[in-house]
Amino acid sequence: MQGPNSEKIKKMFGSIASGYDSANTVLSGGIHHIWKKDVVQASGVQPGFRVLDCATGTGDLAFEFKKAVGSNGQVTATDFCEEMLAIAEQKSKDKNIPLITEIADVTNLKFPDASFDICSIAFGIRNVSDPLKALSEMARVVRPGGKVMVLEFGQPTIPVFKQAYNFYSRFILPQIGGAITGQPSAYRYLQESSSEFPCREMFVKLMKQTEKFEAYSYRTLSGGIAYIYSGTVTRNRFV
Ligand SMILES: C[S@@+](CC[C@H](N)C(=O)[O-])C[C@H]1O[C@@H](n2cnc3c(N)ncnc32)[C@H](O)[C@@H]1O
């Protein structure tokens, strides 16, 4: 599966970084914070765990994980866009929630094998040029039995709700996102990529293609607007 061009994506997120959080809050009515708490809960995270959040953007999922792992655990927040990561770093200081931050491309992670208990990505995987490579890398850096957690948009299936959501996301979302960030084309791209990205069993199939997971599950959020995918990293991979 081929994703978007990574240089264009990096530039696009650089151009919307300063308005990204405000646009998210207005466009989702704040519900993305609830979805992120759901990811943390579904991951089975424990105090003391080491978590890697990839494509962390402005860091919201990483902060939720840090609250769960406590002072004995650590959360490393990575992104390949400097402008987005700079906002995560500033928020970390403002909120007094310490994160380790690093510029990193999720398709080419520099961390050793099995160095984390959990690796997560929220609304990042559909923006990655090679999603299969990204999932494979995420699984590689997680210990056997640990979890890869993915939060991503998909397509609702419930009739009427589906039509209403499609109308909102096609005609209203790009206008509002564009007005807040000054980049309507970015919000047109974000809508179009969400409307096409494989979800449910199609995404699980992609996870299976990595051959790095022994178990998979997914959960539907808000009528199918978004999904949480979980993969348990194979325990006997080094045998
Ligand atoms: C829609 S934002 C999501 C940010 C954040 N996780 C959230 O939930 O709000 C997508 C992020 O993916 C990052 N990204 C896209 N491709 C990437 C890659 N190959 N490696 C690392 N980060 C990437 C972008 O820079 C951007 O910050």
Side-chain angles (χ1 to χ4, degrees):
M1 182 193 173
Q2 183 64 47
N5 176 284
S6 54
E7 282 313 308
K8 275 193 192 157
I9 288 291
K10 203 185 284 184
K11 217 170 144 197
M12 185 192 85
F13 281 103
S15 74
I16 61 171
S18 59
Y20 179 82
D21 278 349
S22 312
N24 255 3
T25 301
V26 173
L27 292 170
S28 79
I31 205 166
H32 70 102
H33 290 297
I34 297 171
W35 293 341
K36 284 167 182 162
K37 285 183 203 297
D38 289 343
V39 171
V40 172
Q41 208 236 331
S43 73
V45 66
Q46 301 287 324
F49 269 21
R50 300 149 302 162
V51 178
L52 173 66
D53 186 40
C54 298
T56 196
T58 58
D60 284 342
L61 181 57
F63 293 126
E64 289 303 328
F65 268 118
K66 181 60 185 163
K67 288 180 208 162
V69 300
S71 52
N72 292 331
Q74 65 179 44
V75 177
T76 305
T78 62
D79 201 288
F80 74 172
C81 173
E82 283 179 30
E83 293 89 340
M84 291 289 273
L85 199 61
I87 290 177
E89 286 165 349
Q90 188 56 52
K91 281 164 70 178
S92 168
K93 286 188 195 124
D94 295 346
K95 289 172 184 279
N96 198 19
I97 303 179
L99 298 177
I100 299 162
T101 56
E102 208 168 295
I103 292 287
D105 187 325
V106 62
T107 62
N108 185 20
L109 296 171
K110 304 291 180 209
F111 304 102
D113 292 357
S115 44
F116 296 95
D117 299 291
I118 293 171
C119 182
S120 58
I121 187 163
F123 306 116
I125 198 75
R126 79 180 194 287
N127 295 301
V128 164
S129 58
D130 187 343
L132 190 60
K133 180 95 193 297
L135 288 170
S136 217
E137 274 292 88
M138 291 174 73
R140 179 185 66 75
V141 300
V142 168
R143 64 163 165 84
K147 292 272 172 64
V148 168
M149 303 299 300
V150 179
L151 172 62
E152 192 49 87
F153 287 118
Q155 301 88 43
T157 50
I158 307 161
V160 184
F161 175 67
K162 178 181 170 175
Q163 276 84 31
Y165 178 71
N166 286 348
F167 180 84
Y168 166 76
S169 58
R170 275 186 70 190
F171 300 110
I172 300 173
L173 184 148
Q175 301 278 350
I176 300 175
I180 295 173
T181 61
Q183 301 290 335
S185 60
Y187 282 83
R188 273 195 296 277
Y189 156 77
L190 290 171
Q191 183 278 321
E192 281 162 14
S193 57
S194 303
S195 71
E196 291 164 2
F197 196 71
C199 62
R200 301 183 287 277
E201 284 79 9
M202 291 296 287
F203 188 79
V204 170
K205 200 171 154 194
L206 195 67
M207 293 178 83
K208 282 185 182 163
Q209 280 174 33
T210 65
E211 299 182 346
K212 293 209 165 152
F213 300 104
E214 63 181 28
Y216 316 81
S217 64
Y218 75 84
R219 190 173 141 197
T220 304
L221 300 170
S222 305
I225 294 176
Y227 296 85
I228 295 173
Y229 302 91
S230 165
T232 306
V233 174
T234 305
R235 271 166 251 250
N236 64 358
R237 67 180 162 170
F238 299 121
V239 175

